[in-house]
């Protein structure tokens, strides 16, 4: 009897150990019961998947970017295309506008994180917003040309006594041209007649028709006029004339790229990625003229690819970082300020205006 009793007790103890082993192994996974505790735990472990690294792509940062139609926005074309294909490092929301006034409102209201604007507007906005924006780069140099239907003007001195049809009295191009006249010994109010009656598009048509024999025009209106009238010629490249009087380091900085300080502070890595992609896009305009012209037309920055292709070589699209551009920008802003302080927002730039990586 004692032997039978001992065997029964041993069987009960063995059964208890099996129950304990199953409980230690966690949730029942349907595996056959093991003979001992150790094999039972090993079986469960073998069937439990080991943690795997996440393969989900990190969402792209988002930036709202504005551009103006015309040369100031032309360097953005390839970046717009990359964004549409999902190939850009940042997720962009582009806004393309016709006038600087429309752009100004969106920047002041905080609707844009970055924008391509005229260079004088960049400083005006810096002053107007109490330093809420910064200039990140110069994206367009001189786009002004004197066109003539004839063959009498070959130097600035040849303009003496003549009527020059132009647009935008009191605008940047007006002050730049007046400065060139003065540096060449001509009084803009006495030695020449500056006729401001027509706007750019109207003036381009008048130059083509011969109603404005000498006209000061920016791109792409220069190209538009010359396509209509092959008899027109570029009499003076205002960019070269500026460099001649401003010195070898002087540059006629017409367009710029600005950024909101809040955007920089919120995600500097995204902002820097944008600047890198934008610089590549600006260089692409010159590297692949045909494709760039197609994209500029596709995104309605200029009216058609033919105009774009002829305008690109004369539009001085570039990318010069703020710190590198600072010396010639200071010279340019001083010229504008001396003519009219309001043209740059009432005061010259301090160091905080120039973006630094």
């Amino acid at each position: 009897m004692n032997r039978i009793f001992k065997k029964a007790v041993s069987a009960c103890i063995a059964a208890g150990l099996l129950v304990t082993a199953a409980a230690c192994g966690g949730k029942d996974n349907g595996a056959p019961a093991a003979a001992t505790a150790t094999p039972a735990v090993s079986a469960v472990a073998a069937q439990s998947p080991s943690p795997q690294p996440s393969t989900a792509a990190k969402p792209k940062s988002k930036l709202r970017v504005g551009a103006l139609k015309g040369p100031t926005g032309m360097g953005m074309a390839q970046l717009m295309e990359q964004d549409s294909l999902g190939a850009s490092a940042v997720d962009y929301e582009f806004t393309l506008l016709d006038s600087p006034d429309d752009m100004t409102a969106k920047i002041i209201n905080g609707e844009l994180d970055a924008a391509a604007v005229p260079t004088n507007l960049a400083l005006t906005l810096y002053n107007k917003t109490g330093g809420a924006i910064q200039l990140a780069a110069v994206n367009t140099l001189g786009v002004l040309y004197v066109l003539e239907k004839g063959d009498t003007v070959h130097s600035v001195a040849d303009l003496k006594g003549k009527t020059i049809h132009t647009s935008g009295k009191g605008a940047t191009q007006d002050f730049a041209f007046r400065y060139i006249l003065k540096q060449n010994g001509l009084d803009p109010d006495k030695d020449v007649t500056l006729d401001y009656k027509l706007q750019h598009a109207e003036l381009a048509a008048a130059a083509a028709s011969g109603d404005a024999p000498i006209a000061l025009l920016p791109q792409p209106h220069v190209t538009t006029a010359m396509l209509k009238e092959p008899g027109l010629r570029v009499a003076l490249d205002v960019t070269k004339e500026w460099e001649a009087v401003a010195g070898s380091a002087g540059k006629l900085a017409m367009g710029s790229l600005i950024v909101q300080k809040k955007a920089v502070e919120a995600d500097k890595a995204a902002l820097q990625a944008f600047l890198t992609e934008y610089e590549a896009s600006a260089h692409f305009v010159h590297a692949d003229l045909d494709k760039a012209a197609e994209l500029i037309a596709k995104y309605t920055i200029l009216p058609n690819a033919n105009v774009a292709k002829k305008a690109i070589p004369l539009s001085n699209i570039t990318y010069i970082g703020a710190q590198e551009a600072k010396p010639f920008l200071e010279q340019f802003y001083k010229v504008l300020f001396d003519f009219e302080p309001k043209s740059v927002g009432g005061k010259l730039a301090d160091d905080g205006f120039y973006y630094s990586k």
Side-chain angles (χ1 to χ4, degrees):
M1 286 290 294
N2 286 338
R3 285 185 208 169
I4 295 171
F5 178 76
K6 287 179 181 179
K7 287 182 180 180
V9 169
S10 297
C12 288
I13 291 172
L17 288 173
L18 285 173
V19 170
T20 303
C24 292
K27 161 167 113 168
D28 181 13
N29 59 11
T36 64
T38 302
V41 173
S42 299
V44 172
Q47 294 185 37
S48 300
S50 58
Q52 297 294 322
S54 173
T55 56
K58 183 181 177 181
K60 291 182 182 180
S61 297
K62 297 180 182 292
L63 282 177
R64 302 163 299 169
V65 180
L68 288 172
K69 293 181 180 180
T72 308
M74 284 162 64
M76 202 84 74
Q78 189 206 30
L79 184 52
M80 289 180 173
E81 178 74 354
Q82 286 181 322
D83 179 64
S84 72
L85 298 173
S88 57
V90 178
D91 183 8
Y92 298 106
E93 178 186 313
F94 288 104
T95 299
L96 195 63
L97 298 169
D98 290 301
S99 77
D101 289 342
D102 294 336
M103 187 74 79
T104 297
K106 288 187 176 294
I107 293 167
I108 291 176
N109 293 337
E111 297 175 45
L112 296 172
D113 300 311
V117 300
T119 312
N120 71 307
L121 179 57
L123 183 50
T124 299
L125 286 168
Y126 178 75
N127 288 326
K128 191 170 185 176
T129 62
I133 68 100
Q134 290 180 294
L135 183 141
V138 169
N139 66 4
T140 315
L141 297 176
V143 296
L144 296 171
Y145 297 86
V146 173
L147 295 184
E148 184 186 17
K149 195 168 185 178
D151 194 33
T152 66
V153 177
H154 297 275
S155 69
V156 176
D158 292 336
L159 294 173
K160 188 172 183 178
K162 291 183 169 60
T163 295
I164 301 107
H165 299 266
T166 183
S167 301
K169 185 174 184 178
T172 301
Q173 74 169 49
D174 185 31
F175 294 141
F177 190 63
R178 283 173 171 268
Y179 177 73
I180 290 168
L181 291 172
K182 286 177 120 181
Q183 295 301 111
N184 279 274
L186 298 180
D187 186 330
D189 298 314
K190 295 179 181 178
D191 294 324
V192 300
T193 300
L194 296 172
D195 188 324
Y196 299 97
K197 289 196 289 287
L198 301 176
Q199 296 304 310
H200 293 326
E202 299 168 318
L203 182 52
S209 68
D211 292 335
I214 300 174
L216 173 65
L217 278 167
Q219 285 292 357
H221 300 285
V222 170
T223 295
T224 301
M226 295 181 76
L227 286 173
K228 288 182 179 177
E229 175 48 71
L232 280 172
R233 70 179 187 89
V234 172
L236 296 174
D237 180 339
V238 175
T239 301
K240 291 181 179 178
E241 298 302 333
W242 175 275
E243 291 171 354
V245 298
S248 59
K251 294 184 186 298
L252 185 54
M254 300 297 290
S256 64
L257 183 70
I258 61 171
V259 296
Q260 295 271 14
K261 276 188 179 179
K262 284 184 178 179
V264 177
E265 292 164 359
D267 193 342
K268 189 164 185 177
L271 209 291
Q272 194 55 50
F274 160 59
L275 295 180
T276 299
E277 291 191 312
Y278 181 81
E279 181 176 7
S281 182
H283 292 320
F284 174 82
V285 170
H286 300 288
D288 192 338
L289 191 61
D290 290 332
K291 183 62 176 178
E294 289 176 14
L295 294 177
I296 287 168
K298 176 180 177 179
Y299 293 104
T300 67
I301 298 168
L302 290 184
N304 62 68
N306 189 35
V307 169
K309 186 174 180 178
K310 293 182 181 301
I312 288 170
L314 299 173
S315 295
N316 287 308
I317 307 303
T318 189
Y319 184 99
I320 305 172
Q323 295 302 318
E324 182 183 350
K326 183 179 176 182
F328 66 78
L329 281 172
E330 288 180 332
Q331 180 184 27
F332 178 66
Y333 286 135
K334 182 67 166 58
V335 169
L336 299 184
F337 181 86
D338 288 345
F339 273 107
E340 175 52 73
K342 290 181 181 178
S343 68
V344 293
K347 59 183 178 180
L348 294 173
D350 55 32
D351 288 343
F353 174 62
Y354 300 96
Y355 173 80
S356 181
K357 294 181 182 179

